[in-house]
Amino acid sequence: MAVLLIGEVTDGALSVDATAKAVMAVKSLGDVTVLCAGATAKAAADEAAKIDGVSKVLCAEDAALGHRLAEPTADLIVSLAGDYTHIAAPGTTDAKNVMPRVAALLDAMVISEVTAVIDADTFERPIYAGNAIQTVKSSDAKKVMTIRTAGFDAAAMGGSAAVENIGSAGNPGLSEWIEDKVAASDRPELTSAGVVVSGGRGVGSEADFALIEALADKLNAAVGASRAAVDSGYAPNDWQVGQTGKVVAPDLYVAIGISGAIQHLAGMKDSKIIVAINKDEEAPIFQVADFGLVADLFDAVPELASKL
């Protein structure tokens, strides 16, 4: 058996955390080849070669593979699929765009958000907002899957895999890039941060969300938000943590003014330590919190920030 793992490459740089965790998830399935694709991918490929457990790295550089267009990337993966029994990717935004297309072109099912590999045909994934674990057994000749990396440790660095340059499969011309609008931030990336500070509807306004950001900056943390906070316009969409947002598992998760709806818990309940601040002592968030403070966040958060 052999695995083709799609490396997470953005603007020519490899997301080492997401890729290394995906390597850890799939390395029991056979030799792992990492594909780094993009308009520029050489630096990403060299970085992927250092991950323990990677046997080979394929580097595909082509303008058609830039700007995160899904169709040229999917065509490239399918053109390489013949040598592999498993095709996997970290469960990122890009993978959720690309992998269903790969599965369709290969006439296979896509197994999303894998949290455990039982054997070559059998996998576990969460359903019902993480309240149940589904065991999936696939009879497809090629298994196409995304990995929920939050549940895995990152593979160590120190490998020295060979890097092979390959061509692209061409551009099917089904979509085109117009422009990128990227929010610049000095904070850690939400899905890989060691500390996350999140605010909910209880924060009350976009202006008051500055309290959450100030505490996050004290802790060198990423900022998250509940769906209620995002829907209310207090925080941008890319901060959303939960079933319909991002899944995180930091060492420390601080939930402020978040009641703890089941959809939010699905995105953060695997955090190592959970701290909750809420004035409602009956809030469901306290059922999963390691430390809970029943207090008005407008008193507690500034005091906590000043002490830090």
Side-chain angles (χ1 to χ4, degrees), residues 3-272:
V3 182
L4 179 63
L5 176 66
I6 316 308
E8 178 70 7
V9 179
T10 304
D11 296 331
L14 182 74
S15 172
V16 177
D17 183 74
T19 307
K21 288 179 177 178
V23 170
M24 180 66 80
V26 301
K27 66 180 185 178
S28 64
L29 295 171
D31 291 340
V32 178
T33 297
V34 175
L35 170 64
C36 292
T40 58
K42 180 65 169 65
D46 290 342
E47 195 69 20
K50 299 175 185 176
I51 300 174
D52 278 345
V54 174
S55 59
K56 184 168 70 171
V57 178
L58 302 178
C59 177
E61 293 187 316
D62 192 289
L65 298 170
H67 305 299
R68 309 166 83 167
L69 295 181
E71 294 87 355
T73 305
D75 282 3
L76 171 63
I77 294 168
V78 171
S79 72
L80 299 169
D83 296 331
Y84 303 97
T85 54
H86 297 75
I87 301 172
T92 60
T93 304
D94 284 350
K96 291 173 183 177
N97 199 12
V98 171
M99 298 305 275
R101 290 175 162 86
V102 172
L105 291 168
L106 292 174
D107 194 24
M109 69 183 290
V110 61
I111 307 169
S112 61
E113 300 290 310
V114 169
T115 54
V117 176
I118 307 302
D119 58 38
D121 302 318
T122 314
F123 312 90
E124 289 183 354
R125 60 183 297 272
I127 57 173
Y128 302 132
N131 283 287
I133 300 298
Q134 181 183 54
T135 301
V136 180
K137 189 174 181 69
S138 171
S139 59
D140 288 333
K142 296 188 184 301
K143 315 298 189 286
V144 180
M145 56 192 184
T146 62
I147 307 296
R148 179 175 283 195
T149 55
F152 296 94
D153 294 328
M157 304 301 286
S160 56
V163 177
E164 177 184 339
N165 294 315
I166 61 172
S168 74
N171 188 354
L174 297 173
S175 63
E176 63 177 303
W177 172 78
I178 302 298
E179 65 175 329
D180 288 335
K181 291 185 178 180
V182 181
S185 176
D186 293 331
R187 298 190 183 102
E189 205 279 320
L190 182 56
T191 55
S192 60
V195 181
V196 174
V197 179
S198 284
R201 194 202 307 268
V203 177
S205 70
E206 183 179 6
D208 286 332
F209 225 83
L211 288 171
I212 307 299
E213 297 180 63
L215 180 58
D217 290 341
K218 290 271 189 177
L219 295 169
N220 190 30
V223 178
S226 68
R227 177 167 182 169
V230 170
D231 287 350
S232 299
Y234 305 165
N237 284 2
D238 57 346
W239 288 3
Q240 184 179 326
V241 173
Q243 184 181 11
T244 53
K246 294 178 179 177
V247 176
V248 301
D251 296 325
L252 172 63
Y253 187 88
V254 184
I256 301 171
I258 294 174
S259 64
I262 194 170
Q263 292 86 351
H264 185 76
L265 299 184
M268 47 63 74
K269 62 186 178 65
D270 291 330
S271 303
K272 307 299 185 294

